[in-house]
Amino acid sequence: MQQHLNDWKAQELYYLRMQRSRDRMERKNMDEQNQCQRKLRVCVATCNRADYSKLAPIMCGIKSHPDEFELEVVVLGSHLIDDYGNTFRMIEQDDFDISSKLHTIVRGEDEAAMVESVGLALVKLPDVLQRLRPDILVVHGDRFDALALATAAALMNIRILHLEGGEVSGTIDDSIRHAISKLAHYHACCTRTAEQHLIAMCEDHSRILLAGCPSYDKLLSTSRREDYMDVIKSWLGDNVQDHDYIVALQHPVTTDIQHSIKIYGLMLDALISFNKKTLILFPNIDAGSKEMVRVMRKKGIEQHPNFRAVKHIPFEQFIQLVCHAGCMIGNSSCGVREAGAFGTPVINLGSRQTGRETGENVLHVRDADSQNKIYHALELQFGKRYPCSKIYGDGNAVPRILKFLRTIDLDEPLQKTFCFPPVKESISQDIDHILETQTALAVDLGGTNLRVAIVCQRGRILKKYVQPNPKTFQARMKLLLKLCADATRDAVGLNCRLLGVGVSTGGRVNPQEGVVLHSTKLIQEWSSVDLRTPISDALHLPVWVDNDGNCAALAEKKFGQGKGVENFVTVITGTGIGGGIIHQNELVHGSTFCAAELGHIVVSLDGPECSCGSRGCVEAFASGMALQREAKRLHDEEQLKVEGMDMKLAEPITAAHLISAAKLGNSRAEAVLNKASTALGMGIVNILHMMNPSMVILSGILASYYQAPVQNIILEKALVSAQNIKVVESHLEEPALLGAASMVLDYATRRIY
């Protein structure tokens, strides 16, 4: 009986254990399922009007995916101060629910007040972060408030995503920015150089995203609003005109406050003397700002008829004002970042921002020690327009950041690991979360077709668009902008980052201004045409324009036979004869941009008439049009066709028929081609005697035929010292497009984009 009872208890205990094991397995499965379904809780903390312009697009992106993310918003710093516009209201107006408002600023606007503000924030933040329990905290930039946020989160084991780390601006902000980067677990930076700085700081490359500046997502899509004049007039009055006013924004440099105040006063004096409508914003809350405001009021700026002094402007309206300003002056990061996207001229005063990457639009006045120097800078910059620069972004930062957030594994160890030297050299963007190819948008404006292509760094054409080239200027520009816009949209789908636009076109071109001066007869209505401005305005990309012959030479230099060759000449043998000269690794343009007009070297005083109006040019003998003309003449005289030659009645006569007839023994055709080869060879001999290149590259549809005869002419006619120069045939299928792309890719590489 006792044995039976023991067996029953053992059996009951066994089933009880089995039930508990099943319960544990079910709970584990439910926990894993909940973990998979759980939204990522993202806390975005904003401290001032400037960082909100960068954070707002990310907040909108997070909010638009409620099934994946849960957004918490914490507001602190100068957002909550009346003197700085109570800018927390714009966050509420943007329909964001503010989870917590923290008054963290200790007034005084001096060094001690900044330190006390950091301490006050550290006292208040733990309660908020403990209540919200975010999975990740998004922190922006280099402000002292952001340092307090990153410190609190790191000590409370909360993951941190730092925006715009790795940059260099030249003030105490650098130290704060880099300190936040060392506390952060993940980084979303704006430029390739910033990415390299973070890697050099031993940050894990796999946790760095080269995203671009999030504010560009908003400013590139809203900058060209039709109501921009209403915005301008609402802030500056009805009498102001587009590009005829100044935006001024100067902040204190906390490491040299007295010098900052002096520069501020000199800037105000120069602006008063310059006598243009000026919108001036109050400085930020850093130490020294109170004294700067005193200087402004002492000079009567708020009552001056030419000035409008404001504490805050909504970002959408502010970018309209910057976009259409005649000039921006001061030391705000907006001048070197956002203003570049519009080509707005900028004068950067003092040491703040001097370490940042800038576009062509920024003129630095580092030693702004006199009113006259600042006034002269205003004279140089005011009213100019520069190519749009996208150094800091291309308008697609938010999708990249959201994609990056989705990949964060909360089960990974929280402890940061650092990648100490040797640092891995990054030639291309190599991130597990997003792999992009840096590319150029290439345009070839030919006499027959208009072609646009997306070209990668290695010269591979990823996608090409071809349409017949319209005959009128308006239709041609409309089609050009449409194809470029289509390519820009497709580039996102192809995971390509467009660095700029290169345009190859016939005729004489001023590459410095991006203007076609005189076109060939093949392209009608194409003289005195500014190509750079409309393309740059439409795409927000920098634009380079050059002659098709020069582009062919650039293509050979980067991708073809001229790679690694210091001095060479490219000769295009097609419908016309053109080319380009590379001398000491640089393209030769000449004083009036007509260097390398190789087709118009005169080789006979009584030769046939050329399209340029002269006689005896190389092009009049050796171009495709010249050979076609001779072929038609022989055909009309019934001396072209020979036995074995396939020639249909309705088929148009071309240079190909002439070459075919010569190969089949037609002596008249052979004579024409010999004369053409001799003319081209003599023209090239003249080039050898003038430029003494180490190589001649023949490009175009007739290159394969001319290569051997031209080499023989050189051996016969050239000086002994030039007889060994090789004539080679180009292997490039698309020299015009590749040359247009190389203008963009070489410049971007040289600038360390």
Side-chain angles (χ1 to χ4, degrees):
M1 183 68 180
Q2 183 65 34
Q3 180 65 34
H4 180 72
L5 183 62
N6 290 339
D7 290 344
W8 180 80
K9 286 183 177 179
Q11 191 175 17
E12 183 181 35
L13 183 60
Y14 170 77
Y15 283 116
L16 183 61
R17 286 174 178 169
M18 288 292 291
Q19 182 64 41
R20 286 175 179 172
S21 178
R22 279 195 295 270
D23 289 345
R24 281 197 300 270
M25 288 296 293
E26 288 178 4
R27 282 197 299 271
K28 183 179 179 182
N29 290 336
M30 288 181 66
D31 289 343
E32 289 178 354
Q33 188 175 2
N34 290 336
Q35 183 71 18
C36 292
Q37 295 177 350
R38 189 168 74 82
K39 302 174 187 178
L40 186 71
R41 191 178 297 114
V42 182
C43 179
V44 178
T46 173
C47 311
N48 53 63
R49 66 191 181 197
D51 75 12
Y52 180 66
S53 67
K54 318 293 178 68
L55 294 168
I58 300 173
M59 293 160 65
C60 288
I62 293 171
K63 190 177 179 181
S64 65
H65 293 82
D67 53 328
E68 298 178 89
F69 303 106
E70 184 178 331
L71 176 65
E72 303 286 354
V73 180
V74 173
V75 174
L76 64 159
S78 60
H79 273 308
L80 303 169
I81 298 178
D82 181 61
D83 286 351
Y84 294 88
N86 278 328
T87 49
F88 74 90
R89 294 196 182 100
M90 68 180 177
I91 303 174
E92 295 175 335
Q93 289 167 2
D94 289 342
D95 202 26
F96 291 115
D97 295 327
I98 298 177
S99 306
S100 183
K101 298 176 186 173
L102 294 178
H103 292 270
T104 58
I105 296 298
V106 176
R107 300 305 300 272
E109 285 77 28
D110 57 16
E111 296 95 329
M114 290 169 62
V115 177
E116 290 168 359
S117 297
V118 172
L120 183 58
L122 286 171
V123 169
K124 294 187 175 184
L125 278 168
D127 289 340
V128 174
L129 295 176
Q130 203 162 29
R131 174 171 57 84
L132 298 179
R133 298 175 62 84
D135 296 316
I136 188 162
L137 175 71
V138 180
V139 177
H140 169 270
D142 49 29
R143 308 294 302 141
F144 58 84
D145 322 73
L147 179 61
L149 282 161
T151 303
L155 292 173
M156 295 182 71
N157 291 324
I158 296 170
R159 298 168 195 269
I160 302 165
L161 170 62
H162 184 210
L163 304 180
E164 300 186 7
E167 296 183 16
V168 177
S169 57
T171 65
I172 188 65
D173 295 347
D174 287 343
S175 300
I176 296 175
R177 187 187 308 109
H178 300 333
I180 297 171
S181 292
K182 301 313 295 179
L183 292 168
H185 302 80
Y186 307 97
H187 310 272
C189 58
C190 297
T191 69
R192 165 95 35 204
T193 301
E195 180 191 36
Q196 291 300 317
H197 288 164
L198 288 169
I199 294 171
M201 289 163 62
C202 306
E203 293 299 310
D204 186 347
H205 194 187
S206 67
R207 294 191 173 198
I208 303 171
L209 172 69
L210 179 54
C213 183
S215 67
Y216 271 56
D217 291 32
K218 198 167 187 177
L219 69 88
L220 290 180
S221 62
T222 61
S223 63
R224 301 288 175 181
R225 284 171 32 179
E226 294 181 359
D227 65 343
Y228 70 90
M229 282 307 303
D230 294 335
V231 174
I232 294 171
K233 290 178 179 179
S234 69
W235 291 98
L236 288 161
D238 293 334
N239 296 326
V240 72
Q241 298 298 317
D242 188 13
H243 303 314
D244 196 37
Y245 61 90
I246 298 169
V247 175
L249 179 53
Q250 178 89 358
H251 299 304
V253 176
T254 56
T255 51
D256 195 352
I257 294 173
Q258 293 306 313
H259 188 58
S260 295
I261 297 167
K262 177 185 175 183
I263 291 177
Y264 191 63
L266 293 172
M267 179 191 77
L268 295 178
D269 291 337
L271 288 170
I272 292 169
S273 300
F274 200 67
N275 198 30
K276 288 289 182 182
K277 280 284 186 181
T278 301
L279 181 69
I280 185 166
L281 281 83
F282 278 63
N284 64 22
I285 201 167
D286 283 352
S289 58
K290 185 188 295 183
E291 289 82 357
M292 290 172 71
V293 173
R294 283 200 195 101
V295 171
M296 182 173 69
R297 287 175 172 157
K298 185 177 180 181
K299 293 181 182 293
I301 295 298
E302 289 171 294
Q303 291 77 39
H304 197 288
N306 274 350
F307 286 82
R308 172 79 190 279
V310 296
K311 295 175 180 176
H312 168 68
I313 302 173
F315 183 67
E316 293 84 353
Q317 297 181 36
F318 181 64
I319 61 176
Q320 296 287 326
L321 291 159
V322 172
C323 176
H324 297 280
C327 178
M328 185 173 183
I329 189 171
N331 63 4
S332 169
S333 62
C334 176
V336 299
R337 298 171 69 96
E338 285 82 357
F342 314 125
T344 301
V346 172
I347 300 168
N348 186 70
L349 302 178
S351 60
R352 197 173 191 258
Q353 314 302 344
T354 55
R356 289 194 191 272
E357 298 167 79
T358 67
E360 298 175 35
N361 63 311
V362 178
L363 174 64
H364 289 288
V365 186
R366 292 176 175 84
D367 297 321
D369 52 1
S370 70
Q371 175 188 336
N372 186 54
K373 189 180 289 186
I374 299 172
Y375 186 91
H376 185 57
L378 285 165
E379 288 183 317
L380 288 173
Q381 288 286 77
F382 186 80
K384 277 190 177 181
R385 301 316 288 175
Y386 289 90
C388 298
S389 165
K390 296 176 79 173
I391 293 174
Y392 287 95
D394 60 0
N396 296 295
V398 172
R400 295 184 187 115
I401 291 171
L402 294 183
K403 187 176 180 180
F404 189 76
L405 286 171
R406 292 186 187 101
T407 64
I408 291 176
D409 184 2
L410 298 179
D411 292 328
E412 281 185 348
L414 186 65
Q415 176 60 50
K416 278 187 70 171
T417 56
F418 299 99
C419 301
F420 292 103
V423 177
K424 177 184 174 183
E425 182 182 0
S426 177
I427 298 172
S428 61
Q429 187 165 320
D430 181 19
I431 301 175
D432 292 337
H433 313 283
I434 177 168
L435 180 62
E436 288 187 319
T437 305
Q438 291 194 338
T439 55
L441 194 59
V443 178
D444 176 27
L445 283 155
T448 305
N449 291 322
L450 194 163
R451 303 183 302 154
V452 174
I454 302 170
V455 183
C456 73
Q457 288 271 19
R458 295 186 179 181
R460 187 162 63 92
I461 294 177
L462 305 179
K463 190 162 185 177
K464 186 163 65 175
Y465 311 76
V466 182
Q467 291 286 339
N469 200 347
K471 300 300 181 186
T472 64
F473 169 76
Q474 288 82 0
R476 189 176 300 126
M477 287 303 302
K478 183 177 180 181
L479 178 61
L480 170 60
L481 294 175
K482 178 185 180 300
L483 292 180
C484 287
D486 291 345
T488 303
R489 285 192 297 270
D490 292 344
V492 177
L494 293 169
N495 242 3
C496 294
R497 180 189 297 274
L498 292 175
L499 301 179
V501 183
V503 182
S504 167
T505 181
R508 190 162 67 95
V509 176
N510 180 344
Q512 297 170 4
E513 301 294 335
V515 174
V516 181
L517 301 173
H518 303 292
S519 182
T520 64
K521 292 182 179 179
L522 296 175
I523 311 177
Q524 301 170 6
E525 297 186 22
W526 206 240
S527 295
S528 301
V529 175
D530 179 3
L531 284 179
R532 173 181 288 170
T533 301
I535 298 174
S536 180
D537 286 349
L539 303 182
H540 304 290
L541 286 169
V543 177
W544 291 266
V545 186
D546 213 329
N547 165 270
D548 50 6
N550 290 335
C551 286
L554 291 173
E556 296 295 340
K557 179 177 182 292
K558 188 167 182 66
F559 304 114
Q561 299 273 29
K563 194 170 184 178
V565 181
E566 188 174 358
N567 301 287
F568 69 89
V569 174
T570 298
V571 181
I572 303 174
T573 58
T575 306
I577 300 289
I581 300 171
I582 300 294
H583 180 65
Q584 295 182 349
N585 287 318
E586 294 293 335
L587 186 64
V588 177
H589 283 104
S591 60
T592 58
F593 314 109
C594 65
E597 286 290 350
L598 310 181
H600 300 292
I601 295 175
V602 176
V603 292
S604 174
L605 296 178
D606 57 351
E609 186 177 356
C610 180
S611 60
C612 70
S614 184
R615 303 188 73 88
C617 297
V618 171
E619 186 171 292
F621 286 102
S623 67
M625 290 182 68
L627 296 182
Q628 183 183 37
R629 181 188 68 235
E630 290 299 305
K632 286 180 178 179
R633 180 180 62 80
L634 291 178
H635 180 262
D636 292 341
E637 295 173 359
E638 297 184 352
Q639 294 183 0
L640 179 65
K641 190 172 182 181
V642 295
E643 186 177 348
M645 186 173 173
D646 185 17
M647 190 169 162
K648 298 175 183 178
L649 289 175
E651 186 179 10
I653 304 300
T654 65
H657 293 108
L658 189 72
I659 296 171
S660 178
K663 288 180 178 178
L664 292 171
N666 186 323
S667 60
R668 299 290 295 274
E670 286 179 356
V672 170
L673 289 173
N674 286 338
K675 183 181 284 189
S677 300
T678 302
L680 180 61
M682 290 305 299
I684 291 176
V685 167
N686 289 334
I687 298 169
L688 301 186
H689 292 167
M690 285 187 292
M691 300 302 300
N692 192 28
S694 54
M695 180 186 292
V696 175
I697 303 170
L698 295 184
S699 177
I701 56 175
L702 298 173
S704 60
Y705 177 80
Y706 280 135
Q707 188 265 332
V710 168
Q711 187 75 72
N712 291 332
I713 295 294
I714 292 174
L715 288 171
E716 293 175 10
K717 303 293 184 181
L719 293 172
V720 175
S721 57
Q723 288 178 1
N724 293 326
I725 294 173
K726 293 295 182 184
V727 179
V728 298
E729 182 186 347
S730 172
H731 301 316
L732 300 178
E733 295 182 3
E734 298 283 2
L737 286 173
L738 293 179
S742 71
M743 288 192 289
V744 178
L745 299 173
D746 280 349
Y747 187 78
T749 304
R750 196 176 299 170
R751 291 285 302 277
I752 317 177
Y753 178 88

